[in-house]
Amino acid sequence: VSIGVLTIVLTVGGVAMARLWTVTGQMRRGADELQSVLAAGERWREDIRSASGAILTETANGIAVIRIPSKDHHEVQWASLAGTVVRREHPDAPWTTVCRRIRGSAVQMERRGAVTVWRWDLELEPMTKRSRFVRAFTFLAVPSHPRL
């Protein structure tokens, strides 16, 4: 009898530990994704604030690209493609991935009185197929140059 009880307790404990291990891994990955999205949002806001000319958005080959002129006579570019958001310092530089597992990304310019505001809406893929939690972010930035 005691061997049977011990077997049941060890089996239940093993299943619980495996589930805990899985959930802990999901939470770590989720936290890493949130951290990368927040870092990307702050970098995007920094690029918008430091724009030295008119910011342009265009779509080429089905890919939306935002072009931000920088003070060093280069152009910072942001794009969303294949579930990732990428950035490059100038048109000849390679693209670097700033965040992954993106469900949707949209950049829009808005007029709020005399102020031009750029808005970046970003939605991440759900953590699991059964997840009902939507991980959506909105970043706002105002160019520091008044004519932009």
Side-chain angles (χ1 to χ4, degrees):
V1 172
S2 61
I3 293 176
V5 171
L6 179 63
T7 302
I8 290 171
V9 168
L10 288 176
T11 301
V12 169
V15 169
M17 283 301 296
R19 177 73 178 137
L20 177 66
W21 191 265
T22 300
V23 170
T24 301
Q26 288 174 346
M27 288 178 64
R28 184 175 10 89
R29 282 189 302 278
D32 290 345
E33 286 178 359
L34 293 177
Q35 182 180 12
S36 72
V37 166
L38 293 175
E42 283 304 310
R43 183 62 189 254
W44 178 83
R45 292 178 69 228
E46 179 183 323
D47 287 343
I48 295 291
R49 285 192 304 262
S50 64
S52 63
I55 299 168
L56 303 173
T57 57
E58 64 182 38
T59 303
N61 299 327
I63 299 170
V65 177
I66 181 169
R67 300 177 182 279
I68 307 167
S70 64
K71 292 178 178 143
D72 58 1
H73 305 291
H74 287 251
E75 178 180 80
V76 177
Q77 297 178 350
W78 287 76
S80 176
L81 50 105
T84 61
V85 173
V86 292
R87 177 186 184 275
R88 64 181 172 185
E89 293 285 333
H90 54 83
D92 297 330
W95 290 103
T96 57
T97 301
V98 292
C99 49
R100 302 177 192 281
R101 293 180 34 87
I102 304 300
R103 175 181 275 180
S105 173
V107 175
Q108 297 176 353
M109 181 187 72
E110 300 176 353
R111 294 273 182 203
R112 296 185 182 185
V115 178
T116 299
V117 177
W118 286 88
R119 186 179 81 210
W120 181 23
D121 295 315
L122 186 66
E123 182 180 349
L124 295 176
E125 291 285 342
M127 288 293 297
T128 63
K129 292 180 181 178
R130 297 182 306 163
S131 178
R132 293 179 285 158
F133 181 64
V134 176
R135 300 182 303 158
F137 302 86
T138 298
F139 299 99
L140 299 173
V142 176
S144 60
H145 198 283
R147 296 180 309 204
L148 307 178

